[in-house]
Amino acid sequence: MKKNYVLIIFLSFIVFHLLTACSSKNSQSVKGNISQNNTAITDVQKTEETDELNERLKLYKAFLQNEISSEDKEDKEFLYLRDYCNRVVPEEDGIRYALFDMTGDEIPELHILTDISYSIHAVEKNHLVEWFEGDRYCSPLNNRVILQKVELHNIGYIFLDKKGEEVLCVWFGKSGNDYRFSTGGEDIKLSRNQWEKLKKPFSAIGSDRIKWKNIDNLDF
């Protein structure tokens, strides 16, 4: 029991820092006079960022309209929106999308939730690629962690790197009076108090920054 308790404290420490790292935003305050040259450079950078964003949005819209495909980087397949749905002709009210930045570059990725899957798509070398794919129980949180809520007390939190690769998966499970916790290895049995205390910071993470819309509302 003592060994498990030490392990829980250690894992809590790691998870706390991961949560903090994921939710923090880089900010910098620049004081003093800015030269005209620096101002001109900043204006050019802003223009380039706007152009890049506009190009991405065009690709996102074309994908949502089944006009272009997205490359599955693992299997090297090119999939259309309809391939992420259970129906041959997907019903519009069964598909939702959101634009939300997952990499910290302030340019949003395309999130799609269908009747069978959740996927994130990004742009690489001027074409669309599948950045992450999960089941329909997945959804993003404000700190860029993926929530996987299969049931009320069967919940996972998936941490991703900037390439969409899984770094860590934290899981909380409860069945009756049996409380479990895992980070990908063997489940650890906890007391109710330990389980609730460890789960509390995860449960506090919101998702209000992600604005889901129906696919028939392409207002970007």
Side-chain angles (χ1 to χ4, degrees), residues 2 8 11 35 67 76-77 81 84 86 95 97 105 125 132 145 166 174 181 201 205 212 216:
K2 184 176 180 181
I8 291 167
L11 290 173
S35 67
E67 295 175 356
K76 299 300 179 181
E77 295 180 343
L81 175 61
Y84 291 89
N86 194 33
I95 303 175
Y97 77 93
D105 62 359
K125 298 180 180 179
F132 172 83
V145 171
E166 182 178 316
K174 174 183 176 295
F181 167 79
I205 306 168
W212 291 102
D216 57 351

Side-chain angles (χ1 to χ4, degrees), residues 3-201:
K3 182 179 180 181
N4 280 351
Y5 186 70
V6 173
L7 180 58
I8 291 167
I9 294 175
F10 176 69
L11 290 173
S12 300
F13 177 80
I14 294 175
V15 168
F16 173 78
H17 283 280
L18 281 171
L19 288 171
T20 305
C22 286
S23 60
S24 64
K25 292 183 179 179
N26 293 329
S27 60
Q28 183 178 9
S29 176
V30 180
K31 298 180 180 180
N33 296 325
I34 302 176
S35 67
Q36 291 183 353
N37 288 338
N38 287 341
T39 302
I41 292 173
T42 302
D43 290 341
V44 170
Q45 290 174 337
K46 288 182 177 179
T47 300
E48 290 176 348
E49 289 173 358
T50 301
D51 291 342
E52 181 180 356
L53 175 59
N54 289 336
E55 288 303 313
R56 283 200 184 194
L57 293 179
K58 287 179 182 178
L59 292 174
Y60 293 165
K61 183 173 289 188
F63 181 73
L64 290 171
Q65 294 173 331
N66 268 308
E67 295 175 356
I68 65 171
S69 60
S70 180
E71 181 184 0
D72 181 339
K73 291 188 291 184
E74 184 174 341
D75 297 330
K76 299 300 179 181
E77 295 180 343
F78 291 87
L79 305 174
Y80 287 83
L81 175 61
R82 58 180 175 267
D83 297 316
Y84 291 89
C85 306
N86 194 33
R87 300 178 178 90
V88 177
V89 181
E91 297 178 6
E92 290 187 351
D93 60 358
I95 303 175
R96 294 187 296 160
Y97 77 93
L99 300 175
F100 182 69
D101 176 25
M102 293 293 289
T103 62
D105 62 359
E106 299 184 358
I107 297 178
E109 279 67 48
L110 174 64
H111 301 246
I112 298 176
L113 186 61
T114 74
D115 57 335
I116 60 172
S117 72
Y118 163 70
S119 57
I120 306 174
H121 303 266
V123 176
E124 292 183 7
K125 298 180 180 179
N126 299 318
H127 75 278
L128 212 60
V129 297
E130 182 187 276
W131 192 80
F132 172 83
E133 184 185 15
D135 56 37
R136 65 188 180 93
Y137 302 107
C138 293
S139 60
L141 297 174
N142 289 343
N143 65 344
R144 305 188 183 105
V145 171
I146 302 298
L147 168 68
Q148 187 178 40
K149 191 172 184 179
V150 179
E151 297 174 348
L152 180 61
H153 298 301
N154 185 1
I155 304 173
Y157 296 87
I158 305 171
F159 293 78
L160 305 172
D161 61 19
K162 291 187 176 182
K163 294 182 179 179
E165 301 294 334
E166 182 178 316
V167 176
L168 175 69
C169 182
V170 178
W171 172 80
F172 294 90
K174 174 183 176 295
S175 178
N177 293 321
D178 186 31
Y179 296 85
R180 301 279 177 168
F181 167 79
S182 173
T183 56
E186 185 178 349
D187 296 353
I188 300 173
K189 188 172 183 177
L190 306 175
S191 68
R192 177 178 178 178
N193 183 56
Q194 290 172 333
W195 190 81
E196 290 179 345
K197 187 174 292 185
L198 196 59
K199 186 175 178 292
K200 186 176 181 179

